[in-house]
Amino acid sequence: MAQQNVVKKESEMAQEGFEPRILGFFCHWCCYAAADSAGVSRYQYPPNVRVIRVMCTGRIDARFILEAFRCGADGVFTGG
Amino acid sequence: MAKSGAIMVLGGGVAGVQTALDLSELGYYVYLVEKKASIGGVMAQLDKTFPTNDCSL
Amino acid sequence: MCTMYCPRPVVDTYNERLDITRAPHIDYAQAIPSSYYIDAKACLRVNYETCNLCAQTCTAGAIDFSQQPKELELKVGAVVLTPGFGRVDDEVLERFGYGRFPDVLTAFEFERLTCASGPTEGHIVRPSDNQVPKKIAFLQCIGSRDETCGNGYCSSVCCMYAVKEASVAKEHEPDLDISIFFMDVRTMGKGFDEARKRAQEKYGINVIRARVPRVDQVDGKLALTWTTGDGEHHSDLFDMVVLSVGLESPEDAETIARVTDIELNHYNFCRTSVDSPLLSSRGGVLVAGAFQGPKDIPESVTQASGAAAIASELLADARNSQTVTVTYPDEDKALEEEEPRIGVFVCHCGVNIAGVVDVKAVRDYAGTLPGVVLYEDTLYSCSQDALKSIAEKIKENRLNRVVISACSPRTHEPLFQETLRSIGLNPALVEMANIRDQCAWVHAQEPDKATEKAKDLVRMAVAKARLLTPLDQPTVDVTPSALVIGGGAAGMSAALSIADQGYKVVLVERSKELGGNLKRLKWTLDGQDASKVLKDMIKKVKAHKNIQVFTGSQVESVSGYVGNFTSALSRQGKTEMINHGVIVLATGGREYKPKGYAYGDSTRIVTQLELEEKLARGRGFLRNARNVVMIQCVGSRGDDMQHCSRLCCIQAVKNALKLKELKPELNIYIFYRDMRTYGFYEDLYREARKQGVKFIRYTLDRKPEVIKQSRGIKVRAFDELIGEDLEIPASLVVLSAGIAPGENEELSKIIKAPLTSEGFFLEAHAKLRPVEVAVDGVYLCGLAHGPKSLEESVAQAKAAAAKATIPLAKGKVAVAPIVSKVDQDKCIGCGICESLCPFNAIVLEKVGKRKKAKTITASCKGCGVCASHCPTIAISMGGFTDEAIMAQIHAFSPEGCEEA
C-alpha cells in the first residue's frame, strides 16, 4: 500500500543521531485516513515526517518529488 | 387531515442512525430517540467487524 | 476536568464492566454527542445533594443541576422502531461458569479486551492473574438455539464474531491456541464462508463441532468435556473460555409493544411477515434491525434504509413540509479578492493537543509567517461557542483565508467550511493543519519534536492558504425518474417503492413476463402461497400510474452520470432511448444446475425448486414413495461455486415439513454439512427433527453418491455416528442446488459496476453501503447482490429504493468542488488525460478545428491523475493546484526554499 523511498546521504549517515526529514504525500482516502487512525489508536512513531494531503496519489507529479529533494527532504514517502 | 412530514425513530443504534440519515435526505424531519447518552449502540463497542476486520467506529 | 475531580467511581458499562470511570464521563472519545454526561444513579449531588465538585471545576460552566426531566409531545407521521437487541440473562451464562470463574468471559467483554482503546489497551490477559492465556475456547450458541432458556432461535451473528475475535486475538498473540466449539458453522452471509475458511487456515483456529454442556474449574484452569459426531468423548483444560452470547429481544420489548400497540412474536421480537418484513402489525409503525429478528450489521443497515423508504412512501405528500432549510449570506467577493489576510487558530483540543504540543509557542510562531494578521489559540475549536467566536473574529479582522490548526480535515473540515459559509466566505478558503491525529497523539513521548512538527505543519498550511482560491459549488439538475433493471420480486418491490414515493419508474424485464424466480416458488418460508404474493405484486406494478413496464427488453447501453443517465432499451429489434436520474440493478440470479448426483438421469432426481413445481401440479408422484433423500450444498461451499447459497437449508427443511404434512409416513433423510437455519427458521429445523426427519452430516471429502439403477435409485453415504456407509433406496432424490449469479458480465461492463469473483454485483461497502455500488446513482438489490431469501430481497429492494429516491427527491446533486479544470488554451488535445481517467470524467471535444479536453464535473472524483500527467500543465485541480502543492513543498524547509 505504501512505498518508502528514503535517500540517505552517506556523509550524514555517518554522523551520530542523524534525523532524516521526510516529506509525505498521503492519499486522502487511504494513507491519510490510516495515519489518522494510527493517531486514534495512539500508535507512536518517530516525528520525522511532514504530510501533504492529496486526493489521490495519482495527483503526484514527478516534479513534486524532485522539488521536495531540492528543498532539503532526505526522503519522500508516497502513501496511497 | 394533512400528514405530518416528521418521523420518530426509536433507538439510536446502527439501524436507527441509518434510518434517520436516509429519512432526512429524503426530505423529512426526524426525531431520533436514544436512551443512552450517545448514539451508535452496540456497534460502537465493537473493536473490528467481520470479515474484513475494519475498525467499527 | 469533571471526570478527574469526581469522587464517585462507577463501573464503565461501555467497557463491559471491565474498567472504572466516574459519575460524569463520556463513554468513548468519539461518542456523539461529544459531551460528557453524568450517571445520575451514582452522582452524589443528584442523590444526596452534596458534592457539586464537577459543576465548580467545569471551566465551560456546562453542568447545571437545576435541569428537570421534561415531557415532550411530538406530532409525527410515522414511527420506526430500531431498539436493537437485549442481553441474555446472567442466569443462563452462570451455567457455563460465568460469574463463578473469573476467566469465563462473554464475547462482548472479550471484544473490549482486544480493543486498543479498551481497558487493557488491547492486551489479552486473564482476569484472574493478568497473565496472557495460552489456550482459549469459544463456546457458541450460549443463549441461542437453546429451548431451556426460552431462546429456540439462532442469533445469526455469533459464528461470525467468534471467528473475528479469534482472528484478532491471534493477531495480538500469535502463539495462542484457540478452539471454537460450534453446533453448526453458520457463516452464511455474502463472502462470509470464504472469509471464515481463510481465517481458519491463516490463523490455525481449531473448529470443533460439538456442544459443550458445562464449564468446570480444575487447578485454576477451565475444564471442558464434549462429544463429537462420531460418538467419541473428549476433555481438555483451557486458560480462558469465551461465551458467544446470543442476541436477546430488547429488554423493554413489551413496553415498546404496549406503547406503540404492536404485536410481538413468541420470542418477544416484533412480529412481521415474509412479504412485508418491515411492517409491524400496526399501520405507520415500522421496524428495522435486530428487533425484527437477530441479524448482523449489513442486514440491519439494509432494513434501516428499507424502513426509511416505507415511511417515505406513506408520507410522500408531506415531503419537505417540516424540514429546515439553511440559508447562507452572499459571498463577499471583493474581500476574497484582496491580498490574503490569514487568521490562524491553534486548537488545544482540551489536553489532546495541549498535553503534548506547546500550543502557545505554535500560535506565536504562526504570527511570524507572511500574510498572517491574526493568530490565536482556542480550547476546543469545534465547540459551538468557539465556532461563533472564530466567525466573529474573521469578520472583525476582515480575514479572507483561515488556517485551523487542530485535528483531521477528514472529520472536521466540513464544520469549519460551514462556518465560513455562514459569514459569506467561500468554504474553499479554509485549510487545516492536522496537529492532533498525526502529531500530538502519535508523538506523545516527544513533546519538543511534536511542537517542532506542529510548527512545520502550520507553516505549510499557511503557505497553501495564501494560494487558496474560491471554488464554485456546482449542482446538476436531476431527471426525476428511475430505471429498474429486472422484473423479479426485488425489481418489482423497488419499482413500487420508488413509484409510491412519487417518482416515475421504467421497469425492464428481459423475459416475456414479470416474476423472476418467484414464479417457480410454491410456498414462502413462512408458509404463505407464493403465487398469491407474486400475483398481488404484478397487479400493483401493472396498475401503478408511475410505472412503465418493458418486458422482453434489454438494456443496450447506459451513458451519463448520477441525475442524468440516458439508456438504450431494445425490444424486438427496436431501440428506445430513455432519460432517467438513477438505476436500480435487480437482475436476479438462478438456481444452480447440478453436476453429478445422476441429475438428469431420472425424473425422480430433482432440485428443490423442481420439487416445488411438482408439488404445485399435485401430489400424485408421492403415491408409492417411501424414502425421500435431500442433499445439501449441491454446487455450493466449494463443491463447484465457492459461496454458501444461504437459503437452501431453510428451503429443504420447509419442503421436508410440507412432504411430511402431505404424507406423514414418508422417511426423509437430509444430508448436510452445516444446517444453516438461521434466525427464527431454527424453529422449522427443530420441528423437522421432532417429526422424524433424519439429518446426517457429511464432509466434502465423503460426499453422498446417487446411483441410478435399472430399477430405482440408491443413495450411498457415510454416517459419521455409526462409522459406516449407509445405503438408502430412494423414491425421490432432492438436490439443494444453490443459487448461481445471473449473466451479469455484460451489464457490469455497460454500467461499470464491478462484480465479485463469484459473479454477483459488488456493493460499495459491505457493512455501511450494502445497496449502493461504486458508481454514483446506481443501486443494488435481490439475488443480483447475492443469495438471499424472499424476505431479505424485499427488504433490500426497499432499501435500494430509499437510496435511489434520495437524489430524485433532492432534485439536484451537489458536485464536490475539488474537480479538475482544463485550460483549453494550453491543452494540445493529446488525450493522455482521457485515457488515464478512471471515472470517464474527461472527454475530448472539438473546439474549432482541434480537439480539446473537457472535464465532466459531475463524474470527476478529484483524484488529479489528469493534472499530474498533463504534458502542458493545462489541468488544474480545485483546492489542490500545482501552485498550492508547490508552496507547501517549499514551506517544508524551515528556512524556506526559493523557487528554482
Side-chain angles (χ1 to χ4, degrees):
Chain A
M1 171 180 121
Q3 18 172 324
Q4 202 167 359
N5 306 309
V6 181
V7 179
K8 290 164 184 165
K9 296 174 193 162
E10 277 181 46
S11 56
E12 280 179 332
M13 287 290 286
Q15 292 168 22
E16 190 107 350
F18 164 65
E19 288 288 345
R21 287 178 54 77
I22 300 166
L23 182 60
F25 292 97
F26 286 13
C27 164
H28 172 90
W29 304 106
C30 52
C31 190
Y32 196 91
D36 280 351
S37 57
V40 172
S41 305
R42 305 298 193 277
Y43 289 123
Q44 301 296 306
Y45 56 83
N48 299 50
V49 67
R50 307 290 180 265
V51 173
I52 292 178
R53 181 173 63 107
V54 287
M55 291 311 284
C56 170
T57 41
R59 177 71 191 91
I60 302 167
D61 196 315
R63 292 177 300 136
F64 297 168
I65 296 170
L66 297 174
E67 197 69 2
F69 285 124
R70 197 181 67 80
C71 290
D74 299 307
V76 173
F77 180 123
T78 68
Chain B
M1 197 176 78
K3 285 176 187 166
S4 166
I7 290 147
M8 178 160 84
V9 178
L10 195 67
V14 63
V17 169
Q18 186 64 53
T19 308
L21 286 173
D22 287 339
L23 281 170
S24 71
E25 294 240 49
L26 284 165
Y28 301 93
Y29 194 85
V30 182
Y31 299 103
L32 178 60
V33 184
E34 167 61 45
K35 224 171 10 179
K36 293 205 171 140
S38 55
I39 56 173
V42 179
M43 188 169 172
Q45 276 182 287
L46 302 183
D47 175 34
K48 306 268 170 60
T49 57
F50 182 86
T52 49
N53 288 2
D54 280 351
C55 173
S56 144
L57 268 178
Chain C
M1 202 79 100
C2 47
T3 307
M4 218 154 72
Y5 281 94
C6 177
R8 189 76 172 174
V10 295
V11 286
D12 182 351
T13 49
Y14 174 74
N15 274 319
E16 290 294 328
R17 317 173 69 85
L18 296 170
D19 209 347
I20 285 175
T21 178
R22 301 280 159 163
H25 63 276
I26 188 163
D27 285 342
Y28 53 106
Q30 299 84 359
I32 297 171
S34 61
S35 42
Y36 282 55
Y37 70 100
I38 295 174
D39 182 342
K41 280 198 208 92
C43 175
L44 294 171
R45 174 72 169 78
V46 172
N47 293 292
Y48 309 106
E49 305 226 338
T50 58
C51 191
N52 211 29
L53 265 176
C54 54
Q56 284 159 8
T57 50
C58 179
T59 46
I63 298 178
D64 173 8
F65 281 107
S66 66
Q67 283 183 350
Q68 293 297 323
K70 274 188 272 189
E71 241 178 58
L72 302 176
E73 197 154 299
L74 306 174
K75 189 174 177 295
V76 294
V79 175
V80 184
L81 303 176
T82 53
F85 56 87
R87 292 290 173 89
V88 171
D89 260 358
D90 277 0
E91 199 183 304
V92 178
L93 310 184
E94 276 159 23
R95 286 190 233 152
F96 300 93
Y98 183 76
R100 287 187 287 140
F101 313 131
D103 297 330
V104 177
L105 300 177
T106 66
F108 294 99
E109 292 168 344
F110 192 75
E111 181 94 26
R112 296 311 304 155
L113 278 192
T114 59
C115 184
S117 59
T120 57
E121 289 168 350
H123 296 296
I124 298 163
V125 292
R126 304 204 316 167
S128 63
D129 56 5
N130 275 325
Q131 296 298 306
V132 178
K134 288 190 190 72
K135 265 175 93 164
I136 302 181
F138 279 78
L139 309 189
Q140 299 304 107
C141 301
I142 306 296
S144 310
R145 301 182 69 185
D146 180 0
E147 277 191 298
T148 63
C149 70
N151 294 350
Y153 56 85
C154 160
S155 291
S156 313
V157 300
C158 327
C159 286
M160 276 67 77
Y161 77 56
V163 172
K164 172 195 72 176
E165 290 185 3
S167 310
V168 172
K170 285 288 270 189
E171 262 175 19
H172 285 264
E173 300 287 344
D175 296 334
L176 275 178
D177 178 342
I178 300 183
S179 302
I180 309 182
F181 291 84
F182 293 99
M183 288 166 70
D184 292 279
V185 183
R186 291 187 170 175
T187 44
M188 61 277 158
K190 184 178 179 180
F192 287 7
D193 222 20
E194 296 90 316
R196 192 256 314 149
K197 222 158 70 186
R198 278 197 303 274
Q200 236 169 278
E201 283 158 15
K202 180 174 172 195
Y203 298 109
I205 297 163
N206 311 317
V207 167
I208 301 171
R209 282 187 174 80
R211 184 162 213 171
V212 179
R214 53 181 290 156
V215 178
D216 293 301
Q217 198 170 27
V218 178
D219 299 335
K221 293 206 171 198
L222 299 161
L224 306 182
T225 55
W226 67 92
T227 311
T228 41
D230 52 10
E232 296 267 340
H233 297 294
H234 306 261
S235 64
D236 204 352
L237 296 172
F238 293 85
D239 301 312
M240 190 187 253
V241 167
V242 181
L243 304 180
S244 292
V245 180
L247 309 188
E248 180 72 77
S249 62
E251 51 198 59
D252 38 13
E254 281 170 7
T255 317
I256 292 170
R258 199 179 59 244
V259 172
T260 56
D261 193 20
I262 58 156
E263 284 173 28
L264 299 178
N265 72 6
H266 57 296
Y267 291 125
N268 265 5
F269 288 83
C270 184
R271 182 192 298 285
T272 60
S273 74
V274 161
D275 54 336
S276 43
L278 309 174
L279 302 183
S280 77
S281 55
R282 179 175 173 189
V285 179
L286 313 173
V287 60
F291 186 37
Q292 191 262 346
K295 61 179 57 65
D296 63 6
I297 294 165
E299 292 290 317
S300 295
V301 169
T302 302
Q303 286 201 337
S305 294
I310 298 174
S312 173
E313 292 163 23
L314 294 173
L315 306 177
D317 303 340
R319 187 190 305 284
N320 292 329
S321 65
Q322 299 201 12
T323 43
V324 185
T325 317
V326 186
T327 52
Y328 300 98
D330 288 338
E331 270 182 41
D332 186 346
K333 299 256 167 110
L335 175 63
E336 287 173 355
E337 278 165 24
E338 283 178 27
E339 274 296 292
R341 294 174 54 79
I342 306 173
V344 180
F345 297 89
V346 186
C347 185
H348 290 245
C349 196
V351 293
N352 280 308
I353 295 172
V356 179
V357 171
D358 184 345
V359 168
K360 295 209 157 64
V362 174
R363 176 200 64 190
D364 294 338
Y365 174 74
T368 67
L369 298 168
V372 175
V373 296
L374 179 81
Y375 48 103
E376 302 223 326
D377 57 308
T378 56
L379 191 55
Y380 283 103
S381 310
C382 59
S383 68
Q384 288 304 316
D385 300 348
L387 288 172
K388 227 168 98 187
S389 141
I390 290 173
E392 278 160 16
K393 281 175 180 147
I394 293 172
K395 276 206 270 193
E396 268 168 40
N397 295 280
R398 293 184 43 77
L399 302 178
N400 56 12
R401 304 287 186 278
V402 178
V403 171
I404 306 283
S405 177
C407 48
S408 174
R410 285 178 54 256
T411 51
H412 283 68
E413 199 172 52
L415 190 69
F416 298 110
Q417 288 178 335
E418 192 70 14
T419 303
L420 261 66
R421 271 186 94 182
S422 73
I423 51 169
L425 279 178
N426 189 286
L429 299 177
V430 63
E431 177 67 18
M432 290 186 75
N434 189 344
I435 63 165
R436 186 185 74 177
D437 307 41
Q438 298 187 10
C439 186
W441 277 351
V442 289
H443 311 312
Q445 309 306 322
E446 296 168 282
D448 292 342
K449 286 186 175 163
T451 303
E452 281 316 301
K453 178 170 176 178
K455 287 181 183 172
D456 289 353
L457 292 174
V458 169
R459 185 176 62 245
M460 290 163 71
V462 168
K464 183 177 178 188
R466 274 198 292 274
L467 295 170
L468 290 176
T469 49
L471 297 176
D472 291 339
Q473 300 282 306
T475 56
V476 233
D477 284 336
V478 169
T479 310
S481 66
L483 171 68
V484 177
I485 307 174
M492 285 194 287
S493 302
L496 280 170
S497 177
I498 297 169
D500 280 341
Q501 291 181 70
Y503 300 93
K504 298 273 181 215
V505 180
V506 171
L507 177 61
V508 183
E509 165 59 41
R510 187 164 49 183
S511 68
K512 286 200 181 65
E513 49 185 305
L514 296 170
N517 287 305
L518 187 50
K519 277 186 297 198
R520 301 181 64 191
L521 215 61
K522 171 96 172 84
W523 303 288
T524 63
L525 294 177
D526 62 352
Q528 294 183 59
D529 180 356
S531 63
K532 185 173 174 302
V533 173
L534 177 65
K535 261 186 225 147
D536 287 351
M537 221 183 245
I538 293 178
K539 210 166 105 190
K540 274 192 221 157
V541 166
K542 287 194 170 155
H544 208 295
K545 66 174 177 16
N546 281 346
I547 303 179
Q548 195 185 355
V549 180
F550 282 73
T551 44
S553 304
Q554 256 175 300
V555 177
E556 295 273 285
S557 70
V558 174
S559 63
Y561 45 85
V562 55
N564 292 281
F565 287 109
T566 302
S567 300
L569 306 182
S570 73
R571 173 154 60 173
Q572 291 161 354
K574 274 186 275 178
T575 301
E576 190 167 335
M577 305 301 286
I578 61 156
N579 294 319
H580 52 99
V582 291
I583 300 172
V584 177
L585 297 174
T587 50
R590 58 185 173 81
E591 189 179 48
Y592 172 80
K593 195 168 183 302
K595 295 174 187 151
Y597 295 107
Y599 179 70
D601 293 353
S602 160
T603 55
R604 296 196 159 262
I605 303 173
V606 296
T607 65
Q608 291 286 358
L609 277 181
E610 286 164 354
L611 169 67
E612 296 201 23
E613 284 168 329
K614 261 183 190 289
L615 286 169
R617 286 194 296 269
R619 63 182 75 174
F621 72 101
L622 289 177
R623 197 173 303 131
N624 299 319
R626 276 191 60 224
N627 296 333
V628 177
V629 176
M630 294 187 179
I631 301 172
Q632 299 305 107
C633 295
V634 171
S636 304
R637 296 189 64 193
D639 183 34
D640 181 11
M641 308 178 289
Q642 287 309 308
H643 63 268
C644 162
S645 293
R646 191 172 173 98
L647 62 82
C648 339
C649 284
I650 308 170
Q651 195 181 19
V653 170
K654 172 193 80 174
N655 285 341
L657 283 169
K658 279 289 173 190
L659 289 174
K660 274 284 192 188
E661 192 184 310
L662 295 173
K663 192 170 182 186
E665 65 273 27
L666 273 180
N667 295 313
I668 304 180
Y669 301 84
I670 299 186
F671 288 92
Y672 71 99
R673 289 169 58 195
D674 290 287
M675 279 312 285
R676 294 185 163 174
T677 45
Y678 56 93
F680 301 132
Y681 294 119
E682 183 71 11
D683 286 353
L684 293 182
Y685 179 31
R686 199 177 323 104
E687 182 58 31
R689 274 182 314 189
K690 215 179 272 175
Q691 295 198 17
V693 176
K694 292 173 194 69
F695 290 87
I696 303 159
R697 190 193 301 275
Y698 76 90
T699 54
L700 203 49
D701 53 343
R702 293 186 108 152
K703 288 200 285 188
E705 282 173 84
V706 179
I707 303 151
K708 167 88 172 61
Q709 295 167 317
S710 51
R711 302 181 60 189
I713 306 160
K714 196 170 70 180
V715 177
R716 186 190 296 141
F718 178 71
D719 185 337
E720 190 186 28
L721 185 63
I722 56 174
E724 279 176 25
D725 271 348
L726 288 178
E727 279 198 8
I728 305 165
S731 336
L732 183 66
V733 173
V734 187
L735 305 175
S736 289
I739 294 169
E743 292 149 23
N744 293 329
E745 288 83 8
E746 214 185 312
L747 197 58
S748 153
K749 279 187 201 129
I750 291 175
I751 298 181
K752 293 205 163 60
L755 298 177
T756 65
S757 58
E758 295 287 313
F760 295 103
F761 281 104
L762 180 67
E763 60 273 40
H765 187 285
K767 293 270 175 281
L768 301 175
R769 295 172 66 196
V771 298
E772 295 161 75
V773 302
V775 186
D776 284 348
V778 184
Y779 310 90
L780 177 59
C781 61
L783 298 185
H785 162 272
K788 59 178 63 64
S789 68
L790 174 63
E791 174 179 8
E792 290 160 345
S793 279
V794 171
Q796 204 184 21
K798 293 279 186 191
K803 293 293 186 189
T805 305
I806 288 172
L808 307 183
K810 285 187 169 170
K812 285 187 190 316
V813 260
V815 182
I818 309 167
V819 291
S820 82
K821 201 171 161 189
V822 183
D823 179 347
Q824 292 199 337
D825 290 339
K826 286 188 190 164
C827 175
I828 52 169
C830 68
I832 291 178
C833 50
E834 186 195 31
S835 69
L836 286 174
C837 177
F839 306 103
N840 287 346
I842 284 204
V843 289
L844 288 183
E845 59 172 11
K846 267 228 151 120
V847 176
K849 282 188 176 168
R850 308 180 62 176
K851 282 195 161 178
K852 300 280 183 187
K854 187 186 148 198
T855 307
I856 302 166
T857 311
S859 301
C860 178
K861 303 268 184 209
C863 72
V865 167
C866 50
S868 64
H869 285 80
C870 178
T872 58
I873 321 183
I875 300 178
S876 93
M877 298 302 304
F880 293 86
T881 58
D882 275 7
E883 296 76 18
I885 295 177
M886 280 297 189
Q888 277 176 292
I889 298 171
H890 293 144
F892 167 68
S893 160
E895 301 83 38
C897 176
E898 290 309 309
E899 298 229 8

